[in-house]
Amino acid sequence: MKFSYKILFCCIITMAAAFGAGGYFFIDDVFRASMERETTQAMDESSILQFAFETAALNIPSKYDILQNSVIEEIGSNLEKGGQGTGRLLRLSDEDRTVLYASEGFVEDTALLCAVEEQTRAYQVTCADDRYFIQTGTMLNSRDRILYLETMRDVTEVYGERSRGFAVYRNMTLLILVFSSVFMYFISSWLTKPIRLLTQATRKMTAGDYSYRAEQVSLDEMGQLTQDFNHMAGVLEENIHKLEEEVRAREDFIAAFSHELKTPLTSIIGYADLLRSRRLDEEKHFLSANYIYTEGKRLEAMSLRLLDIIVSKRRGLELQDADVSLLFGYLKDIYEAQEDIHFVFQYEPGRIPAEIDLLKTVLLNLADNACKASEPGDTVEVSGRKTEEGYLFSVKDYGVGIPEEECQKITEAFYMVDKSRSRSRNGAGLGLALCAELLKLHRSKLMIESTPGKGSCFSFRIPCERGGG
């Protein structure tokens, strides 16, 4: 069952119960008040008849010592005639509770008569021939006789009013429930609209449309739920895109790795087969062996770089206070003797929180890439300076440069801007990927500025405060 129908039926049941209980207690309270009023009038009427009987008995001439039954019947008849048009009925009984006079239609039930005692007045509601009466009973003492006077007051109209009240209230309740049901149907539909929209959004997302968002139609709790759902959907979509990118990157990585393995292996197998199947002169034998050695070293370098990347992703760092002079001194020792490329080192002394060996690896890779991008006789500038955010390292060359659209891709594993140039210089497209991973451990990133034909500048900033990677 739909949630809107549940709300509708709960409201209808609640309203029906409330109207039913309220109407019953209201009409019953009115009925009780009317019955109390009728009972009071019946008791007053009984007192008046008692007084009238006693007065009539005193006014009758005394022929006997006691009041005769015939006289009692005569007085009862006169009292009944005096109340014609009022619907009054009466009954007179003697000491033995034997009926002496009774109006026509008076009930034959004597239960109330037996309950009447001296100085007491009793009453009960009696039903006879589908009519309701208030029957009263009292004891009177007149002319040395104990008599019992009973009266009946017709209250059928009071019961009829109660029945009519219940019928009218029942019909009104049904009418109100019908109109209320129609009104509550629209109310429940309006209240559950955010739920329907969320359900629709959930189905859309289940079908693969992660960009779909639920419409927010209110600012209450349901609106807040919709807003939170849309936020969750946004985060989920972002995570899914990240997972898709990771999967795509892994597929590209595997494809590139397979291709990079195929190229040197083809050369190694070809030259090895040449050495195995033919007798070569000394020069060709040396060249073939040299090709095998060169491609083997390239495979070795590629394997080591891959291993470094894998280890760096799983490694946690304990940064130590390092002197930047050691880094630049290490680079000077390696590259100052370089004949083809002129290296220029400029740096400000300082100390940084870092893992010194990993930063050496980063700077060595950046310097090697600068050499590969440069022509013989070009200059490579390696510099370092203090900034407000940390210590800034940069490696600048004046070589071939990198197109702007390629700058965001060159840190991906096996990605090479100029594959033929990189392979000719034993490049595998892993150096910058390794640098990016090592800088992440230092809470830093690689910044690239490049212009094709004018050179490139690779830089990164190490934050001054200490922290783990």
Side-chain angles (χ1 to χ4, degrees):
M1 183 183 293
K2 291 183 177 181
F3 186 62
S4 58
Y5 292 163
K6 290 182 181 180
I7 295 178
L8 177 62
F9 290 146
C10 288
C11 290
I12 292 175
I13 293 173
T14 302
M15 291 175 61
F19 275 113
Y24 172 81
F25 287 114
F26 174 74
I27 295 175
D28 187 68
D29 185 67
V30 174
F31 170 74
R32 289 178 183 274
S34 299
M35 286 299 295
E36 287 179 3
R37 182 177 64 254
E38 293 293 335
T39 301
T40 301
Q41 292 178 359
M43 298 297 288
D44 293 341
E45 189 176 75
S46 175
S47 298
I48 293 173
L49 288 175
Q50 179 183 356
F51 178 75
F53 182 91
E54 292 175 348
T55 302
L58 291 174
N59 291 331
I60 293 177
S62 301
K63 296 180 181 180
Y64 306 100
D65 293 336
I66 60 175
L67 195 63
Q68 298 297 312
N69 290 342
S70 59
V71 175
I72 295 173
E73 293 176 5
E74 182 182 353
I75 295 174
S77 177
N78 292 333
L79 291 176
E80 182 180 0
K81 291 178 181 178
Q84 285 183 351
T86 62
R88 180 173 62 196
L89 302 176
L90 58 86
R91 182 168 68 181
L92 291 169
S93 304
D94 60 11
E95 296 87 344
D96 298 326
R97 291 181 169 82
T98 302
V99 176
L100 300 177
Y101 177 81
S103 299
E104 184 179 356
F106 203 98
V107 296
E108 297 180 359
D109 184 20
T110 59
L112 182 66
L113 177 62
C114 296
V116 176
E117 301 292 340
E118 187 177 358
Q119 302 298 326
T120 63
R121 183 177 280 113
Y123 76 92
Q124 69 179 13
V125 177
T126 303
C127 180
D129 298 330
D130 296 330
R131 299 189 68 82
Y132 294 89
F133 301 89
I134 296 178
Q135 181 182 355
T136 66
T138 185
M139 180 187 293
L140 54 87
N141 191 341
S142 179
R143 304 274 299 265
D144 296 330
R145 291 201 64 175
I146 301 297
L147 302 175
Y148 295 95
L149 173 64
E150 296 174 88
T151 65
M152 288 179 61
R153 180 179 179 84
D154 193 347
V155 291
T156 304
E157 185 64 24
V158 177
Y159 279 86
E161 289 178 356
R162 184 179 71 166
S163 299
R164 288 192 295 274
F166 279 131
V168 172
Y169 192 83
R170 181 175 58 252
N171 294 334
M172 288 298 298
T173 300
L174 290 175
L175 186 62
I176 291 173
L177 286 176
V178 170
F179 284 104
S180 298
S181 299
V182 175
F183 180 72
M184 282 305 302
Y185 174 78
F186 292 103
I187 292 294
S188 61
S189 298
W190 175 68
L191 290 175
T192 57
K193 183 178 180 181
I195 299 178
R196 294 196 301 274
L197 293 175
L198 286 174
T199 302
Q200 182 180 359
T202 304
R203 290 174 179 172
K204 290 278 189 180
M205 295 186 68
T206 303
D209 187 3
Y210 300 110
S211 62
Y212 188 85
R213 297 293 181 269
E215 180 185 357
Q216 185 175 351
V217 295
S218 64
L219 299 176
D220 55 7
E221 289 83 357
M222 293 304 298
Q224 183 62 44
L225 176 61
T226 302
Q227 186 177 353
D228 292 341
F229 177 86
N230 288 336
H231 177 69
M232 179 195 69
V235 175
L236 179 61
E237 181 184 13
E238 183 180 350
N239 290 336
I240 290 175
H241 287 331
K242 287 182 179 178
L243 290 174
E244 291 176 346
E245 290 176 0
E246 288 182 4
V247 171
R248 186 165 54 252
R250 289 181 182 180
E251 292 176 350
D252 294 342
F253 177 87
I254 293 173
F257 184 67
S258 301
H259 184 269
E260 291 300 323
L261 281 179
K262 180 181 177 182
T263 302
L265 285 176
T266 301
S267 299
I268 292 173
I269 293 172
Y271 282 107
D273 182 62
L274 183 64
L275 291 174
R276 179 176 63 89
S277 61
R278 298 183 183 180
R279 182 180 297 276
L280 302 176
D281 57 37
E282 184 177 352
E283 181 180 359
K284 289 183 179 180
H285 188 280
F286 173 79
L287 289 175
S288 298
N290 184 63
Y291 275 120
I292 294 174
Y293 174 79
T294 302
E295 293 302 314
K297 292 296 289 184
R298 193 156 77 88
L299 282 177
E300 180 187 34
M302 185 169 59
S303 300
L304 292 175
R305 290 284 179 84
L306 282 173
L307 182 61
D308 287 341
I309 292 174
I310 294 171
V311 171
S312 66
K313 287 184 176 181
R314 300 179 179 179
R315 182 177 178 181
L317 291 186
E318 292 184 2
L319 302 183
Q320 299 176 348
D321 191 27
D323 189 350
V324 297
S325 299
L326 297 177
L327 289 171
F328 285 96
Y330 175 77
L331 294 175
K332 280 184 178 182
D333 293 340
I334 294 176
Y335 291 106
E336 273 192 338
Q338 188 87 359
E339 296 180 357
D340 294 338
I341 305 298
H342 177 59
F343 273 83
V344 177
F345 296 92
Q346 294 179 344
Y347 65 93
E348 296 178 6
R351 305 188 72 83
I352 56 173
E355 214 289 345
I356 194 71
D357 290 331
L358 296 184
L359 280 190
K360 287 180 180 178
T361 301
V362 173
L363 291 171
L364 281 173
N365 276 284
L366 294 180
D368 284 342
N369 284 341
C371 291
K372 293 172 184 177
S374 303
E375 298 295 336
D378 285 350
T379 300
V380 174
E381 299 175 358
V382 182
S383 61
R385 59 186 178 87
K386 296 178 182 178
T387 64
E388 293 183 359
E389 295 82 8
Y391 197 93
L392 181 66
F393 292 87
S394 62
V395 177
K396 184 176 182 180
D397 66 71
Y398 297 89
V400 294
I402 304 170
E404 183 178 356
E405 63 273 10
E406 307 285 345
C407 290
Q408 302 298 323
K409 303 177 182 179
I410 59 175
T411 56
E412 298 177 6
F414 295 111
Y415 187 86
M416 291 178 282
V417 178
D418 187 345
K419 296 183 182 295
S420 61
R421 180 184 180 93
S422 298
R423 288 198 184 100
S424 66
R425 304 195 178 190
N426 292 327
L430 292 172
L432 292 180
L434 177 59
C435 291
E437 294 299 329
L438 296 180
L439 290 176
K440 283 181 183 179
L441 298 176
H442 288 82
R443 295 176 295 119
S444 182
K445 64 179 181 178
L446 195 61
M447 297 175 286
I448 305 171
E449 298 176 6
S450 184
T451 303
K454 295 184 178 181
S456 306
C457 180
F458 292 82
S459 58
F460 60 91
R461 183 181 286 105
I462 303 297
C464 292
E465 67 274 9
R466 288 182 175 274

